[in-house]
Amino acid sequence: MRKAKWVAAAAGVVLLVAGCGSEGGSGKRDGGSSAGSSAGSTAGGGSEAGGGDSPDAAAVEKEIEAAATAAGFVQDASGEDVPAELKDCMVSWTADAEKAADPKKSYDATVKTLSGGGWKEGQSTEQSGSTIKTLNKGTWSLKASSHGAAGFSIVMFIGTDKTAKCEALFRADLEKNKKP
C-alpha cells in the first residue's frame, strides 16, 4: 500500500507540473524556447508541438518501452492505467525502479535515447530529489519524471497528445471526475 501512495503522489506531481495546456511549474528551462506553451496551444494535428510527424499513442508507448527497457528498466505492472476513453490521447509507463541497478542512470539513459529518437527536450525541473523533464514530438508532450529519496525511487513517463480533440477529451474526463 505504501508504494501505491508514493506512485499516486508522484503522478500528482507530474500532472501538476504538466498542467493542461500551461507552462506548469517554475523550474529551470533548457534552451531558450517555451516548449510547454507551444505544445499546449496546438489546435489540431500536425507537428506544431515538437516538429516532425506526430506519432500515435501506440508508437509513443513503443518508443518509451524500447528506451526504458534498453536502459535497464522493466515496466511496473501496478502502474496507473489510462482510462479507455483517453487511450488514443495518453500513455502512462511506470518503471519498476527497484529492479534497476541504478534508477537515476537508467532514467538519464532513457531520456537520452528518447532525445536521440526525435523527442525534443523542453522544460526541466529539479527539486528535492525529483527531476521532471518535458520532451515533445509532433503533437505529443512527454513528462519524464524521476523521484527518489532514502528508501524509494519512482520513475514514470506520461505522454499526452495536445490536439484539440484530445484536449477536449481531457477536459471532459476532468469534469466527469470532479467531486461535488
Side-chain angles (χ1 to χ4, degrees):
M1 280 299 154
R2 186 173 196 172
K3 181 178 177 185
K5 288 180 183 179
W6 282 110
V7 170
V13 169
V14 170
L15 295 174
L16 177 65
V17 172
C20 195
S22 70
E23 293 278 339
S26 59
K28 69 177 185 177
R29 295 204 185 281
D30 291 332
S33 69
S34 178
S37 64
S38 65
S41 63
T42 301
S47 58
E48 295 87 355
D53 292 327
S54 190
D56 63 7
V60 170
E61 186 169 20
K62 185 177 179 180
E63 288 182 48
I64 295 168
E65 174 85 22
T69 57
F73 285 128
V74 294
Q75 189 168 17
D76 184 345
S78 66
E80 296 296 315
D81 286 330
V82 174
E85 60 273 11
L86 298 177
K87 290 235 184 242
D88 291 338
C89 299
M90 183 176 180
V91 171
S92 178
W93 200 95
T94 303
D96 187 341
E98 293 176 10
K99 292 183 180 175
D102 185 336
K104 181 65 174 145
K105 283 184 181 177
S106 292
Y107 168 80
D108 290 339
T110 302
V111 170
K112 183 177 180 180
T113 299
L114 290 168
S115 294
W119 288 87
K120 302 205 182 323
E121 286 195 51
Q123 179 179 347
S124 180
T125 304
E126 294 185 37
Q127 184 175 3
S128 302
S130 293
T131 301
I132 302 172
K133 294 184 179 193
T134 302
L135 302 157
N136 296 296
K137 186 173 191 179
T139 59
W140 282 83
S141 179
L142 175 64
K143 300 297 182 191
S145 65
S146 174
H147 309 277
F152 82 94
S153 181
I154 299 171
V155 177
M156 300 171 60
F157 301 90
I158 299 176
T160 55
D161 191 344
K162 297 296 186 179
T163 60
K165 173 187 168 195
C166 287
E167 296 248 349
L169 288 171
F170 291 133
R171 280 191 298 277
D173 187 63
L174 283 171
E175 285 297 317
K176 177 180 81 173
N177 292 308
K178 255 188 190 175
K179 297 193 183 220

